[in-house]
mmCIF file with all atom_site columns, all heavy atoms in Angstrom:
data_model
loop_
_atom_site.group_PDB
_atom_site.id
_atom_site.type_symbol
_atom_site.label_atom_id
_atom_site.label_alt_id
_atom_site.label_comp_id
_atom_site.label_asym_id
_atom_site.label_entity_id
_atom_site.label_seq_id
_atom_site.pdbx_PDB_ins_code
_atom_site.Cartn_x
_atom_site.Cartn_y
_atom_site.Cartn_z
_atom_site.occupancy
_atom_site.B_iso_or_equiv
_atom_site.pdbx_formal_charge
_atom_site.auth_seq_id
_atom_site.auth_comp_id
_atom_site.auth_asym_id
_atom_site.auth_atom_id
_atom_site.pdbx_PDB_model_num
ATOM 1   N N   . VAL B 1 342 ? 12.233 -37.864 -39.103 1.00 93.00 ? 412 VAL B N   1
ATOM 2   C CA  . VAL B 1 342 ? 13.583 -38.572 -39.165 1.00 93.00 ? 412 VAL B CA  1
ATOM 3   C C   . VAL B 1 342 ? 14.141 -38.393 -40.556 1.00 93.00 ? 412 VAL B C   1
ATOM 4   O O   . VAL B 1 342 ? 13.330 -38.441 -41.441 1.00 93.00 ? 412 VAL B O   1
ATOM 5   C CB  . VAL B 1 342 ? 13.504 -40.016 -38.725 1.00 93.00 ? 412 VAL B CB  1
ATOM 6   C CG1 . VAL B 1 342 ? 13.612 -40.213 -37.328 1.00 93.00 ? 412 VAL B CG1 1
ATOM 7   C CG2 . VAL B 1 342 ? 12.229 -40.696 -39.358 1.00 93.00 ? 412 VAL B CG2 1
ATOM 8   N N   . TYR B 1 343 ? 15.420 -38.284 -40.646 1.00 93.00 ? 413 TYR B N   1
ATOM 9   C CA  . TYR B 1 343 ? 16.131 -38.103 -41.870 1.00 93.00 ? 413 TYR B CA  1
ATOM 10  C C   . TYR B 1 343 ? 16.847 -39.407 -42.212 1.00 93.00 ? 413 TYR B C   1
ATOM 11  O O   . TYR B 1 343 ? 17.573 -39.909 -41.330 1.00 93.00 ? 413 TYR B O   1
ATOM 12  C CB  . TYR B 1 343 ? 17.049 -36.962 -41.663 1.00 93.00 ? 413 TYR B CB  1
ATOM 13  C CG  . TYR B 1 343 ? 18.056 -36.674 -42.769 1.00 93.00 ? 413 TYR B CG  1
ATOM 14  C CD1 . TYR B 1 343 ? 17.613 -36.261 -44.085 1.00 93.00 ? 413 TYR B CD1 1
ATOM 15  C CD2 . TYR B 1 343 ? 19.378 -36.973 -42.661 1.00 93.00 ? 413 TYR B CD2 1
ATOM 16  C CE1 . TYR B 1 343 ? 18.489 -36.028 -45.078 1.00 93.00 ? 413 TYR B CE1 1
ATOM 17  C CE2 . TYR B 1 343 ? 20.266 -36.773 -43.660 1.00 93.00 ? 413 TYR B CE2 1
ATOM 18  C CZ  . TYR B 1 343 ? 19.833 -36.380 -44.856 1.00 93.00 ? 413 TYR B CZ  1
ATOM 19  O OH  . TYR B 1 343 ? 20.738 -36.200 -45.884 1.00 93.00 ? 413 TYR B OH  1
ATOM 20  N N   . HIS B 1 344 ? 16.742 -39.794 -43.443 1.00 92.00 ? 414 HIS B N   1
ATOM 21  C CA  . HIS B 1 344 ? 17.435 -40.976 -43.868 1.00 92.00 ? 414 HIS B CA  1
ATOM 22  C C   . HIS B 1 344 ? 18.667 -40.551 -44.578 1.00 92.00 ? 414 HIS B C   1
ATOM 23  O O   . HIS B 1 344 ? 18.554 -39.908 -45.672 1.00 92.00 ? 414 HIS B O   1
ATOM 24  C CB  . HIS B 1 344 ? 16.527 -41.776 -44.853 1.00 92.00 ? 414 HIS B CB  1
ATOM 25  C CG  . HIS B 1 344 ? 17.049 -43.146 -45.137 1.00 92.00 ? 414 HIS B CG  1
ATOM 26  N ND1 . HIS B 1 344 ? 18.288 -43.359 -45.720 1.00 92.00 ? 414 HIS B ND1 1
ATOM 27  C CD2 . HIS B 1 344 ? 16.527 -44.377 -45.000 1.00 92.00 ? 414 HIS B CD2 1
ATOM 28  C CE1 . HIS B 1 344 ? 18.525 -44.593 -45.925 1.00 92.00 ? 414 HIS B CE1 1
ATOM 29  N NE2 . HIS B 1 344 ? 17.391 -45.356 -45.492 1.00 92.00 ? 414 HIS B NE2 1
ATOM 30  N N   . CYS B 1 345 ? 19.879 -40.764 -43.950 1.00 87.00 ? 415 CYS B N   1
ATOM 31  C CA  . CYS B 1 345 ? 21.009 -40.082 -44.461 1.00 87.00 ? 415 CYS B CA  1
ATOM 32  C C   . CYS B 1 345 ? 21.530 -40.648 -45.827 1.00 87.00 ? 415 CYS B C   1
ATOM 33  O O   . CYS B 1 345 ? 22.164 -39.995 -46.581 1.00 87.00 ? 415 CYS B O   1
ATOM 34  C CB  . CYS B 1 345 ? 22.143 -40.103 -43.567 1.00 87.00 ? 415 CYS B CB  1
ATOM 35  S SG  . CYS B 1 345 ? 22.505 -41.661 -42.742 1.00 87.00 ? 415 CYS B SG  1
ATOM 36  N N   . ASP B 1 346 ? 21.212 -41.992 -46.132 1.00 88.00 ? 416 ASP B N   1
ATOM 37  C CA  . ASP B 1 346 ? 21.792 -42.487 -47.347 1.00 88.00 ? 416 ASP B CA  1
ATOM 38  C C   . ASP B 1 346 ? 20.959 -42.057 -48.565 1.00 88.00 ? 416 ASP B C   1
ATOM 39  O O   . ASP B 1 346 ? 21.464 -41.823 -49.685 1.00 88.00 ? 416 ASP B O   1
ATOM 40  C CB  . ASP B 1 346 ? 21.835 -44.034 -47.253 1.00 88.00 ? 416 ASP B CB  1
ATOM 41  C CG  . ASP B 1 346 ? 22.871 -44.451 -46.265 1.00 88.00 ? 416 ASP B CG  1
ATOM 42  O OD1 . ASP B 1 346 ? 23.804 -43.697 -46.089 1.00 88.00 ? 416 ASP B OD1 1
ATOM 43  O OD2 . ASP B 1 346 ? 22.714 -45.594 -45.737 1.00 88.00 ? 416 ASP B OD2 1
ATOM 44  N N   . LYS B 1 347 ? 19.693 -42.001 -48.370 1.00 88.00 ? 417 LYS B N   1
ATOM 45  C CA  . LYS B 1 347 ? 18.727 -41.790 -49.517 1.00 88.00 ? 417 LYS B CA  1
ATOM 46  C C   . LYS B 1 347 ? 18.328 -40.291 -49.521 1.00 88.00 ? 417 LYS B C   1
ATOM 47  O O   . LYS B 1 347 ? 17.629 -39.882 -50.469 1.00 88.00 ? 417 LYS B O   1
ATOM 48  C CB  . LYS B 1 347 ? 17.479 -42.630 -49.476 1.00 88.00 ? 417 LYS B CB  1
ATOM 49  C CG  . LYS B 1 347 ? 17.801 -44.081 -49.572 1.00 88.00 ? 417 LYS B CG  1
ATOM 50  C CD  . LYS B 1 347 ? 16.517 -44.824 -49.963 1.00 88.00 ? 417 LYS B CD  1
ATOM 51  C CE  . LYS B 1 347 ? 15.973 -45.526 -48.809 1.00 88.00 ? 417 LYS B CE  1
ATOM 52  N NZ  . LYS B 1 347 ? 14.755 -46.297 -49.193 1.00 88.00 ? 417 LYS B NZ  1
ATOM 53  N N   . GLN B 1 348 ? 18.699 -39.517 -48.562 1.00 88.00 ? 418 GLN B N   1
ATOM 54  C CA  . GLN B 1 348 ? 18.264 -38.086 -48.475 1.00 88.00 ? 418 GLN B CA  1
ATOM 55  C C   . GLN B 1 348 ? 16.758 -37.952 -48.447 1.00 88.00 ? 418 GLN B C   1
ATOM 56  O O   . GLN B 1 348 ? 16.170 -37.213 -49.196 1.00 88.00 ? 418 GLN B O   1
ATOM 57  C CB  . GLN B 1 348 ? 18.889 -37.219 -49.499 1.00 88.00 ? 418 GLN B CB  1
ATOM 58  C CG  . GLN B 1 348 ? 20.351 -36.949 -49.350 1.00 88.00 ? 418 GLN B CG  1
ATOM 59  C CD  . GLN B 1 348 ? 21.227 -38.050 -50.021 1.00 88.00 ? 418 GLN B CD  1
ATOM 60  O OE1 . GLN B 1 348 ? 20.932 -38.395 -51.160 1.00 88.00 ? 418 GLN B OE1 1
ATOM 61  N NE2 . GLN B 1 348 ? 22.279 -38.510 -49.300 1.00 88.00 ? 418 GLN B NE2 1
ATOM 62  N N   . GLU B 1 349 ? 16.126 -38.782 -47.706 1.00 91.00 ? 419 GLU B N   1
ATOM 63  C CA  . GLU B 1 349 ? 14.698 -38.721 -47.556 1.00 91.00 ? 419 GLU B CA  1
ATOM 64  C C   . GLU B 1 349 ? 14.283 -38.343 -46.155 1.00 91.00 ? 419 GLU B C   1
ATOM 65  O O   . GLU B 1 349 ? 14.985 -38.553 -45.222 1.00 91.00 ? 419 GLU B O   1
ATOM 66  C CB  . GLU B 1 349 ? 14.098 -40.083 -47.894 1.00 91.00 ? 419 GLU B CB  1
ATOM 67  C CG  . GLU B 1 349 ? 14.223 -40.526 -49.338 1.00 91.00 ? 419 GLU B CG  1
ATOM 68  C CD  . GLU B 1 349 ? 13.669 -41.896 -49.607 1.00 91.00 ? 419 GLU B CD  1
ATOM 69  O OE1 . GLU B 1 349 ? 13.211 -42.558 -48.613 1.00 91.00 ? 419 GLU B OE1 1
ATOM 70  O OE2 . GLU B 1 349 ? 13.816 -42.364 -50.719 1.00 91.00 ? 419 GLU B OE2 1
ATOM 71  N N   . LEU B 1 350 ? 13.103 -37.739 -46.127 1.00 92.00 ? 420 LEU B N   1
ATOM 72  C CA  . LEU B 1 350 ? 12.665 -37.334 -44.787 1.00 92.00 ? 420 LEU B CA  1
ATOM 73  C C   . LEU B 1 350 ? 11.237 -37.964 -44.540 1.00 92.00 ? 420 LEU B C   1
ATOM 74  O O   . LEU B 1 350 ? 10.430 -38.001 -45.483 1.00 92.00 ? 420 LEU B O   1
ATOM 75  C CB  . LEU B 1 350 ? 12.463 -35.854 -44.803 1.00 92.00 ? 420 LEU B CB  1
ATOM 76  C CG  . LEU B 1 350 ? 12.012 -35.118 -43.475 1.00 92.00 ? 420 LEU B CG  1
ATOM 77  C CD1 . LEU B 1 350 ? 13.078 -35.289 -42.440 1.00 92.00 ? 420 LEU B CD1 1
ATOM 78  C CD2 . LEU B 1 350 ? 11.857 -33.656 -43.797 1.00 92.00 ? 420 LEU B CD2 1
ATOM 79  N N   . TYR B 1 351 ? 11.121 -38.530 -43.314 1.00 93.00 ? 421 TYR B N   1
ATOM 80  C CA  . TYR B 1 351 ? 9.867  -39.132 -42.991 1.00 93.00 ? 421 TYR B CA  1
ATOM 81  C C   . TYR B 1 351 ? 9.317  -38.321 -41.795 1.00 93.00 ? 421 TYR B C   1
ATOM 82  O O   . TYR B 1 351 ? 10.070 -38.056 -40.868 1.00 93.00 ? 421 TYR B O   1
ATOM 83  C CB  . TYR B 1 351 ? 10.048 -40.560 -42.561 1.00 93.00 ? 421 TYR B CB  1
ATOM 84  C CG  . TYR B 1 351 ? 10.744 -41.377 -43.633 1.00 93.00 ? 421 TYR B CG  1
ATOM 85  C CD1 . TYR B 1 351 ? 12.060 -41.644 -43.501 1.00 93.00 ? 421 TYR B CD1 1
ATOM 86  C CD2 . TYR B 1 351 ? 10.091 -41.912 -44.732 1.00 93.00 ? 421 TYR B CD2 1
ATOM 87  C CE1 . TYR B 1 351 ? 12.742 -42.384 -44.428 1.00 93.00 ? 421 TYR B CE1 1
ATOM 88  C CE2 . TYR B 1 351 ? 10.713 -42.556 -45.736 1.00 93.00 ? 421 TYR B CE2 1
ATOM 89  C CZ  . TYR B 1 351 ? 12.037 -42.851 -45.633 1.00 93.00 ? 421 TYR B CZ  1
ATOM 90  O OH  . TYR B 1 351 ? 12.766 -43.411 -46.548 1.00 93.00 ? 421 TYR B OH  1
ATOM 91  N N   . SER B 1 352 ? 8.016  -38.008 -41.884 1.00 94.00 ? 422 SER B N   1
ATOM 92  C CA  . SER B 1 352 ? 7.462  -37.231 -40.728 1.00 94.00 ? 422 SER B CA  1
ATOM 93  C C   . SER B 1 352 ? 6.054  -37.742 -40.367 1.00 94.00 ? 422 SER B C   1
ATOM 94  O O   . SER B 1 352 ? 5.330  -38.219 -41.263 1.00 94.00 ? 422 SER B O   1
ATOM 95  C CB  . SER B 1 352 ? 7.361  -35.732 -41.157 1.00 94.00 ? 422 SER B CB  1
ATOM 96  O OG  . SER B 1 352 ? 6.473  -35.619 -42.270 1.00 94.00 ? 422 SER B OG  1
ATOM 97  N N   . GLY B 1 353 ? 5.850  -37.760 -39.054 1.00 92.00 ? 423 GLY B N   1
ATOM 98  C CA  . GLY B 1 353 ? 4.554  -38.189 -38.589 1.00 92.00 ? 423 GLY B CA  1
ATOM 99  C C   . GLY B 1 353 ? 3.885  -37.199 -37.825 1.00 92.00 ? 423 GLY B C   1
ATOM 100 O O   . GLY B 1 353 ? 4.539  -36.405 -37.125 1.00 92.00 ? 423 GLY B O   1
ATOM 101 N N   . GLY B 1 354 ? 2.509  -37.184 -37.863 1.00 91.00 ? 424 GLY B N   1
ATOM 102 C CA  . GLY B 1 354 ? 1.823  -36.130 -37.119 1.00 91.00 ? 424 GLY B CA  1
ATOM 103 C C   . GLY B 1 354 ? 0.465  -36.578 -36.561 1.00 91.00 ? 424 GLY B C   1
ATOM 104 O O   . GLY B 1 354 ? 0.152  -37.723 -36.650 1.00 91.00 ? 424 GLY B O   1
ATOM 105 N N   . ASN B 1 355 ? -0.269 -35.601 -36.026 1.00 91.00 ? 425 ASN B N   1
ATOM 106 C CA  . ASN B 1 355 ? -1.478 -35.872 -35.493 1.00 91.00 ? 425 ASN B CA  1
ATOM 107 C C   . ASN B 1 355 ? -2.620 -36.232 -36.473 1.00 91.00 ? 425 ASN B C   1
ATOM 108 O O   . ASN B 1 355 ? -3.689 -36.685 -36.101 1.00 91.00 ? 425 ASN B O   1
ATOM 109 C CB  . ASN B 1 355 ? -1.958 -34.620 -34.710 1.00 91.00 ? 425 ASN B CB  1
ATOM 110 C CG  . ASN B 1 355 ? -1.368 -34.547 -33.324 1.00 91.00 ? 425 ASN B CG  1
ATOM 111 O OD1 . ASN B 1 355 ? -0.705 -35.477 -32.915 1.00 91.00 ? 425 ASN B OD1 1
ATOM 112 N ND2 . ASN B 1 355 ? -1.527 -33.477 -32.632 1.00 91.00 ? 425 ASN B ND2 1
ATOM 113 N N   . ASP B 1 356 ? -2.340 -36.073 -37.773 1.00 90.00 ? 426 ASP B N   1
ATOM 114 C CA  . ASP B 1 356 ? -3.291 -36.455 -38.771 1.00 90.00 ? 426 ASP B CA  1
ATOM 115 C C   . ASP B 1 356 ? -3.127 -37.965 -39.188 1.00 90.00 ? 426 ASP B C   1
ATOM 116 O O   . ASP B 1 356 ? -3.618 -38.315 -40.205 1.00 90.00 ? 426 ASP B O   1
ATOM 117 C CB  . ASP B 1 356 ? -3.188 -35.523 -40.070 1.00 90.00 ? 426 ASP B CB  1
ATOM 118 C CG  . ASP B 1 356 ? -1.748 -35.628 -40.606 1.00 90.00 ? 426 ASP B CG  1
ATOM 119 O OD1 . ASP B 1 356 ? -0.858 -36.291 -39.936 1.00 90.00 ? 426 ASP B OD1 1
ATOM 120 O OD2 . ASP B 1 356 ? -1.544 -35.118 -41.648 1.00 90.00 ? 426 ASP B OD2 1
ATOM 121 N N   . ARG B 1 357 ? -2.428 -38.673 -38.362 1.00 90.00 ? 427 ARG B N   1
ATOM 122 C CA  . ARG B 1 357 ? -2.303 -40.166 -38.503 1.00 90.00 ? 427 ARG B CA  1
ATOM 123 C C   . ARG B 1 357 ? -1.505 -40.510 -39.746 1.00 90.00 ? 427 ARG B C   1
ATOM 124 O O   . ARG B 1 357 ? -1.531 -41.745 -40.126 1.00 90.00 ? 427 ARG B O   1
ATOM 125 C CB  . ARG B 1 357 ? -3.618 -40.880 -38.531 1.00 90.00 ? 427 ARG B CB  1
ATOM 126 C CG  . ARG B 1 357 ? -4.422 -40.595 -37.338 1.00 90.00 ? 427 ARG B CG  1
ATOM 127 C CD  . ARG B 1 357 ? -5.700 -41.163 -37.410 1.00 90.00 ? 427 ARG B CD  1
ATOM 128 N NE  . ARG B 1 357 ? -6.568 -40.935 -36.270 1.00 90.00 ? 427 ARG B NE  1
ATOM 129 C CZ  . ARG B 1 357 ? -7.358 -41.880 -35.644 1.00 90.00 ? 427 ARG B CZ  1
ATOM 130 N NH1 . ARG B 1 357 ? -7.465 -42.948 -36.177 1.00 90.00 ? 427 ARG B NH1 1
ATOM 131 N NH2 . ARG B 1 357 ? -8.009 -41.459 -34.601 1.00 90.00 ? 427 ARG B NH2 1
#
Side-chain angles (χ1 to χ4, degrees):
Chain B
V412 273
Y413 168 71
H414 190 301
C415 48
D416 293 332
K417 296 200 255 180
Q418 287 88 45
E419 288 174 4
L420 182 64
Y421 306 98
S422 59
N425 279 351
D426 57 350
R427 304 177 179 216

